[in-house]
């Protein structure tokens, strides 16, 4: 799984999705994170096609939406996602949110898809430690990834530690807190030392914390900027300074209290 990829939440289906995916691939992005609920899988698929890159060079993720959870409905939702993307397989398929009373049946469907060779890896999103423990208790296959809200204001130490111990890869959503962290003084000061932007510093902090990161942008300059994070290294002290900005503050809902 690539350490770095493109998020396409709120990217509109059609030209915006097609062009940002195509452009991102040309800047070296190899991983794209979409979901049924983003309603842009057709555009993402078209962007992949137009990029001209070989399918096996890419890592494509999608997610089953809450209203489709359950065994048969998840298998149908997976087929629909593949059709929209015009792909033969996915690299990663995730349960989008831990819908109570449903996510275990949904997981059984993901296990089937994995065993049938229709997806290369399966995982979850927005799972707290107790959700993971509950799932693992009955699962045949352990989730391989947990995609969670993760940024310097929400460092998720407990989940991160648990996932490390269970060999579940943590992946950050809203790594830039949807832009809210980009004026932070600590982060800006650190960036100035390396000639790097606040976005690049945060994304680098993800990598050095061994967290996969998928920032979103449709702006070509920012797409390129966000991908340029492999040519500098933050010191341990800088890593700690950024981590100490944690306020346990979310931009999205708490997975213990969502109503959709
Ligand atoms: P993000 O933290 O990636 O922020 C994106 C916003 O930051 C952009 O819209 C833009 O305004 C700004 N930005 C990006 N690069 C910038 C730069 N270099 N300079 C200045 N501003 C910049 O937010 P996100 O889109 O919410 O999260 C990333 C991805 O995570 C999503 O696109 C989606 O794929 C995934 N996601 C998953 C879930 C989930 O429940 N699993 C939830 C939200 C997002």
């Amino acid at each position: 799984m690539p350490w770095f990829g493109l998020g396409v939440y709120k990217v509109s289906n059609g030209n915006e999705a097609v062009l940002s995916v195509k452009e991102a691939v040309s800047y070296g992005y190899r991983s794209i994170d979409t979901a049924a609920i983003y309603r842009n899988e057709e555009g993402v698929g078209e962007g992949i096609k137009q990029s001209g890159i070989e399918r096996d060079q890419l890592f494509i993720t999608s997610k089953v939406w809450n209203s489709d959870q359950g065994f048969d409905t998840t298998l149908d939702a997976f087929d629909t996602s593949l059709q929209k993307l015009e792909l033969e397989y996915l690299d990663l398929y995730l349960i989008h949110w831990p819908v109570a009373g449903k996510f275990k049946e949904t997981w059984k469907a993901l296990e089937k898809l994995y065993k049938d060779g229709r997806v290369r890896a399966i995982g979850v999103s927005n799972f707290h430690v107790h959700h993971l423990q509950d799932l693992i208790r009955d699962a045949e296959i352990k989730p391989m990834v947990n995609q969670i809200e993760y940024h310097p204001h929400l460092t998720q130490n407990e989940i991160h530690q648990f996932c490390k111990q269970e060999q579940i890869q943590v992946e950050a959503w809203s790594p830039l807190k949807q832009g809210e962290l980009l004026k932070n003084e600590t982060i800006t000061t650190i960036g100035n030392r390396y000639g790097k932007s606040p976005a690049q510093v945060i994304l680098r902090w993800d990598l050095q914390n061994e967290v996969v990161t998928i920032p979103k942008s449709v702006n070509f300059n920012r797409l390129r900027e966000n991908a340029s994070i492999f040519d500098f290294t933050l010191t341990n002290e800088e890593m700690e300074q950024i981590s100490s900005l944690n306020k346990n503050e979310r931009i999205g809902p708490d997975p213990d209290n969502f109503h959709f």
Side-chain angles (χ1 to χ4, degrees):
M1 178 178 193
W3 284 106
F4 174 79
L6 175 69
V8 296
Y9 177 46
K10 290 187 179 160
V11 175
S12 56
N13 207 7
N15 249 356
E16 192 171 60
V18 175
L19 291 179
S20 47
V21 167
K22 199 173 139 185
E23 204 66 19
V25 171
S26 79
Y27 301 147
Y29 287 68
R30 292 294 176 263
S31 167
I32 296 155
D33 179 85
T34 185
I37 195 69
Y38 301 168
R39 303 191 196 289
N40 58 19
E41 290 171 308
E42 292 100 334
V44 168
E46 183 58 30
I48 292 169
K49 213 176 294 164
Q50 290 191 18
S51 76
I53 195 162
E54 295 293 325
R55 171 66 184 95
D56 65 4
Q57 299 301 300
L58 292 176
F59 188 96
I60 309 298
T61 302
S62 193
K63 316 181 190 87
V64 54
W65 186 241
N66 301 350
S67 53
D68 285 326
Q69 287 203 34
F71 188 80
D72 291 331
T73 42
T74 295
L75 296 179
D76 288 346
F78 180 83
D79 284 340
T80 303
S81 284
L82 275 193
Q83 274 163 20
K84 288 186 173 172
L85 284 157
E86 291 196 46
L87 296 177
E88 303 282 314
Y89 67 91
L90 285 184
D91 296 277
L92 177 64
Y93 198 46
L94 303 176
I95 300 183
H96 210 144
W97 287 86
V99 176
K102 287 270 183 84
F103 68 73
K104 288 192 187 181
E105 280 305 299
T106 307
W107 187 250
K108 287 202 177 88
L110 265 60
E111 289 178 327
K112 175 173 168 49
L113 291 166
Y114 178 74
K115 284 191 266 183
D116 290 349
R118 304 193 63 206
V119 57
R120 298 262 162 97
I122 50 176
V124 296
S125 178
N126 299 302
F127 273 47
H128 280 320
V129 169
H130 71 89
H131 296 119
L132 287 168
Q133 285 169 327
D134 193 15
L135 184 66
I136 291 169
R137 204 172 297 129
D138 295 333
E140 210 178 310
I141 302 168
K142 220 195 279 184
M144 299 163 195
V145 171
N146 187 16
Q147 185 185 110
I148 53 174
E149 182 178 346
Y150 178 94
H151 45 67
H153 281 169
L154 184 71
T155 54
Q156 304 263 32
N157 294 336
E158 192 201 347
I159 302 183
H160 196 181
Q161 203 48 46
F162 179 82
C163 286
K164 263 195 183 158
Q165 179 192 311
E166 295 292 328
Q167 294 182 300
I168 299 169
Q169 178 62 49
V170 170
E171 181 173 26
W173 64 253
S174 295
L176 307 174
K177 208 183 178 196
Q178 295 183 348
E180 275 190 25
L181 273 161
L182 301 178
K183 291 208 166 76
N184 180 280
E185 210 182 305
T186 305
I187 296 170
T188 308
T189 304
I190 293 172
N192 288 342
R193 284 181 207 143
Y194 299 97
K196 290 287 179 182
S197 70
Q200 289 169 321
V201 170
I202 295 170
L203 299 171
R204 182 70 206 179
W205 172 82
D206 290 338
L207 299 186
Q208 290 184 220
N209 278 325
E210 297 176 2
V211 171
V212 168
T213 194
I214 45 167
K216 175 235 166 184
S217 181
V218 293
N219 172 304
F220 295 169
N221 290 330
R222 287 174 176 175
L223 278 175
R224 206 184 322 220
E225 173 186 325
N226 292 348
S228 177
I229 53 172
F230 296 93
D231 56 355
F232 73 113
T233 306
L234 300 167
T235 64
N236 290 341
E237 195 189 338
E238 289 164 341
M239 289 294 291
E240 277 164 27
Q241 276 176 344
I242 299 169
S243 300
S244 71
L245 298 172
N246 182 41
K247 303 200 262 182
N248 295 325
E249 192 173 274
R250 296 175 183 276
I251 194 144
D254 185 324
D256 272 335
N257 189 22
F258 65 98
H259 305 284
F260 46 83

